Amino acid sequence: MTELSAEIRRQIGIVITRKGEVDCVVVGDARGIVIPDLKRVRVGQGRFRGLRVVHTQLGGEGLTKDDLNDLALLRLDLMGVLSVTDDGLPGWIHVAHLLPADPTRQKPKAASEEEDLFADDAGERPTPPELLPWAYLPKTPLGRFDTDFLELIENLEAEFARTRRVRDARDTRDRTALVHVTTGPVAAAQESMDELVELAASCDLVVVDTIIQRRQQLDPKTVLGKGKLQELIIRCLQVSADMILFDQDLSPAQIRSIEAATDLKILDRTQLILDIFAQRARSREGKIQVELAQLKYLLPRLSGHGADMSRLAGGIGGRGPGETKLEVDRRRARDRIAALEKQVGEVRRHRESRRATRERRDLPVVSIVGYTNAGKSTLLNTLTNSTVVAESRMFATLDPTSRRLRLPRERDLIINDTVGFIRDLPKTLVTAFKATLEEIEDSDLLVHLVDASAIDYARHIEAVEGILADLELSKLPRLLVFNKTDLLEPEAAERLRERHDALCVSARDRSSLAPLLEEIDARLPPPADPYATAYSELFDSEGEVS
């Protein structure tokens, strides 16, 4: 190998089986080799491919990043580099092998704001050596290399099997790695990541790892950079992840670039929220609105691969046999969007009719708004003795619910439970749920419910206020109410009340809701005189008896 490599000035590699047989020979160029497709070799969980690669190297740099990426992505037994001397003889050999995922190495120390996080102009931060998924054997002259390969690989596979997270065959949930790439403070990124973990749990995903990367600027092609993407894919292989979930919204081009580098499923924050809505929608109008939002999101992201998606060429002056599969899919999506928008219009008209009926009965309307999982449905159930689904997870309730509530002073009103808000709520969802959110427009009072136990409750308040402003509902009177104060110390709850001039309640404790009902009654417009109304109905517009 070394003699031929020195003669042709190209690298030569061999793929060797565990029996010592040469599976194939690869001839590259002076800089490297391209390993052929090895997919025909089956790889079990916790096992290697049963192949090792050794190739020559004309320079003296040793194992390169491409060698190590091939080692990890192809799950090779070993990757070895053999140096070639000027006279064509073998020099030293440099070998690397994979390491199992060590729980003590999974969480790197979070970098502070003062640390230099950027190692190069691309803005990528190097991975600490203790977190790399491979290990090196020292460079050794070939004649002195006496490592027992079979013993080494058997010990490694046993260690992989021991540390591998055992997956129950009955557990069909997807395993995901969460990724957040930021150009801002690490603390804010961690808060957003914590929320993404809750969203993933709400979608019945198993989170196997979380990665936060801070960059000078986001990579326009892959968000986190080519090198970091390779490390992320390797990390996903280590923890047996089925998908990668990004906290950012990915453009269609970014999704295609990342999918080209891995076979794992790729999701972003918006698609995750849409999937949660699709799982939770129960009513006909909720399902219509969710499907509409999904189609509007997916339409620009429809793409095809292979010959079945390409237009067949026609003859001279001919157009070809017709539309491609991709064009057909897009046309069907547009037709479905038009049909769903028509149905949403019908939903809007039905809601307007119901609101008009309530206005004729002169019943005031109070709507409960707030961040998702703030306890809105629980509060509605406690106030009205209802059985609306209320769970401690995000977006447990999607379909708006209206109930009649009698205040202590014998006054009736309509109280609405609305869909929860969240920061960076997808625009497609806001548009699709416009008919549902219009239910809030005719409210006489908005009860803004806040989870007092949330660490970043101030950001929750800001997010809800921002969405209300986007919906042009800021003009409506609002009552700020902190919920779940039973989880706080009494002194902390009192400080919240004084700082924000708000009420503090526990939606599960009926006795704590009396001040809330009194405040709602005080803030609503005074009721019309029923006797004056009944008397006026006896006469027409000209004062004659009807």
Side-chain angles (χ1 to χ4, degrees):
M1 283 176 60
T2 57
E3 184 180 354
L4 288 172
S5 184
E7 182 179 347
I8 65 176
R9 306 306 300 170
R10 291 171 177 263
Q11 292 190 10
I12 297 176
I14 53 174
V15 180
I16 313 170
T17 69
R18 289 195 184 176
K19 295 180 180 179
E21 300 171 348
V22 176
D23 183 76
C24 64
V25 178
V26 184
V27 178
D29 54 22
R31 295 184 300 272
I33 62 172
V34 178
I35 299 176
D37 184 14
L38 303 177
K39 291 182 179 180
R40 65 183 184 277
V41 182
R42 298 180 62 184
V43 182
Q45 286 192 351
R47 298 186 63 84
F48 298 112
R49 193 173 291 272
L51 300 172
R52 59 192 186 276
V53 175
V54 179
H55 69 86
T56 59
Q57 190 177 76
L58 300 176
E61 60 269 27
L63 287 164
T64 65
K65 189 63 176 292
D66 289 338
D67 291 330
L68 297 172
N69 285 337
D70 287 339
L71 169 68
L73 296 177
L74 299 176
R75 297 190 65 81
L76 298 173
D77 290 356
L78 290 175
M79 172 64 76
V81 171
L82 185 60
S83 67
V84 180
T85 63
D86 294 337
D87 53 3
L89 296 177
W92 43 255
I93 186 168
H94 196 199
V95 174
H97 61 79
L98 293 179
L99 286 175
D102 185 351
T104 62
R105 306 185 317 125
Q106 287 180 12
K107 294 293 180 183
K109 179 182 176 182
S112 64
E113 299 300 325
E114 293 79 13
E115 289 184 49
D116 181 14
L117 299 180
F118 311 113
D120 52 31
D121 296 337
E124 293 193 16
R125 184 187 179 198
T127 300
E130 66 272 12
L131 298 177
L132 293 173
W134 45 67
Y136 303 94
L137 299 181
K139 288 183 180 180
T140 306
L142 184 60
R144 298 179 185 175
F145 187 76
D146 58 355
T147 300
D148 189 329
F149 161 71
L150 289 178
E151 180 182 359
L152 172 64
I153 203 65
E154 288 172 0
N155 291 336
L156 282 175
E157 284 196 333
E159 184 67 14
F160 265 84
R162 186 182 66 82
T163 59
R164 181 174 57 87
R165 301 180 184 184
V166 179
R167 183 169 185 173
D168 191 340
R170 296 168 296 181
D171 188 359
T172 59
R173 296 177 298 171
D174 286 324
R175 298 161 63 89
T176 182
L178 308 184
V179 180
H180 182 98
V181 185
T182 181
T183 58
V186 175
Q190 186 60 56
E191 291 179 3
S192 182
M193 177 63 78
D194 293 340
E195 184 174 87
L196 187 65
V197 171
E198 292 187 42
L199 286 170
S202 297
C203 201
D204 292 330
L205 297 176
V206 179
V207 177
V208 294
D209 203 2
T210 58
I211 296 115
I212 296 178
Q213 184 198 16
R214 187 166 179 259
R215 296 173 56 93
Q216 289 176 328
Q217 59 183 4
L218 300 184
D219 187 274
K221 189 174 182 180
T222 61
V223 181
L224 39 65
K226 182 180 178 181
K228 283 294 181 182
L229 178 60
Q230 292 283 359
E231 292 182 14
L232 172 62
I233 296 171
I234 294 169
R235 181 62 185 161
C236 290
L237 292 174
Q238 278 191 303
V239 298
S240 302
D242 302 312
M243 70 170 61
I244 304 173
L245 175 57
F246 284 84
D247 201 14
Q248 284 79 14
D249 285 343
L250 303 178
S251 68
Q254 288 171 337
I255 292 177
R256 287 192 291 269
S257 297
I258 298 173
E259 286 181 340
T262 177
D263 293 331
L264 299 176
K265 289 187 288 187
I266 306 299
L267 268 74
D268 61 12
R269 176 188 172 91
T270 294
Q271 191 168 355
L272 176 67
I273 295 176
L274 289 174
D275 287 347
I276 295 174
F277 272 56
Q279 290 178 10
R280 307 285 168 76
R282 294 292 180 266
S283 67
R284 173 179 173 271
E285 61 185 276
K287 293 178 180 179
I288 291 173
Q289 292 169 132
V290 170
E291 184 183 355
L292 177 60
Q294 286 180 311
L295 286 174
K296 286 187 174 180
Y297 173 79
L298 293 175
L299 181 59
R301 291 166 173 79
L302 286 177
S303 62
H305 306 277
D308 61 321
M309 304 298 290
S310 60
R311 182 180 299 281
L312 299 178
I316 297 176
R319 181 177 178 274
E323 293 178 303
T324 65
K325 183 178 182 298
L326 178 59
E327 290 170 331
V328 172
D329 290 342
R330 286 176 174 167
R331 176 170 53 80
R332 288 175 177 172
R334 294 189 190 98
D335 293 344
R336 182 61 178 166
I337 288 174
L340 291 173
E341 287 179 337
K342 184 178 180 180
Q343 295 181 46
V344 169
E346 295 175 359
V347 170
R348 182 178 289 111
R349 286 191 292 273
H350 289 317
R351 287 193 173 278
E352 290 174 353
S353 177
R354 290 198 295 268
R355 287 199 297 268
T357 302
R358 289 201 298 264
E359 290 173 0
R360 287 196 299 270
R361 296 177 179 176
D362 194 27
L363 288 175
V365 178
V366 175
S367 295
I368 307 173
V369 299
Y371 211 76
T372 180
N373 203 25
K376 298 182 294 297
S377 299
T378 302
L379 179 60
L380 180 74
N381 288 339
T382 305
L383 289 174
T384 63
N385 294 323
S386 302
T387 57
V388 176
V389 176
E391 301 176 13
S392 181
R393 59 177 181 171
M394 292 187 165
F395 302 116
T397 303
L398 291 187
D399 301 317
T401 305
S402 299
R403 293 290 186 269
R404 190 167 184 144
L405 173 64
R406 172 154 291 194
L407 295 176
R409 297 181 182 179
E410 301 299 320
R411 184 182 184 186
D412 290 342
L413 58 84
I414 300 296
I415 185 165
N416 294 323
D417 176 23
T418 60
V419 63
F421 296 157
I422 194 171
R423 73 183 76 176
D424 301 325
L425 191 67
K427 299 298 183 183
T428 51
L429 269 179
V430 174
T431 303
F433 275 75
K434 189 74 173 178
T436 298
L437 297 174
E438 283 175 356
E439 193 78 16
I440 308 176
E441 290 183 1
D442 296 324
S443 301
D444 299 286
L445 177 67
L446 299 182
V447 175
H448 182 176
L449 201 65
V450 182
D451 182 358
S453 65
I455 298 177
D456 54 346
Y457 74 87
R459 290 181 179 270
H460 293 184
I461 296 175
E462 181 182 352
V464 173
E465 293 292 341
I467 294 174
L468 290 176
D470 292 340
L471 296 172
E472 300 180 353
L473 300 175
S474 299
K475 62 182 182 298
L476 296 177
R478 290 188 291 285
L479 172 61
L480 187 63
V481 180
F482 283 96
N483 186 27
K484 305 183 183 180
T485 53
D486 55 318
L487 303 178
L488 304 178
E489 294 294 333
E491 296 79 8
E494 182 63 22
R495 287 195 298 269
L496 274 180
R497 186 190 66 79
E498 294 177 354
R499 184 186 307 158
H500 298 279
D501 189 23
L503 295 178
C504 291
V505 302
S506 173
R508 297 182 183 275
D509 183 6
R510 184 182 294 272
S511 62
S512 69
L513 302 181
L516 172 61
L517 294 176
E518 293 177 0
E519 187 67 23
I520 291 175
D521 195 6
R523 296 202 181 195
L524 289 176
D529 186 354
Y531 296 103
T533 302
Y535 184 74
S536 65
E537 290 177 350
L538 297 175
F539 301 91
D540 59 19
S541 59
E542 297 179 356
E544 298 294 334
V545 177
S546 300

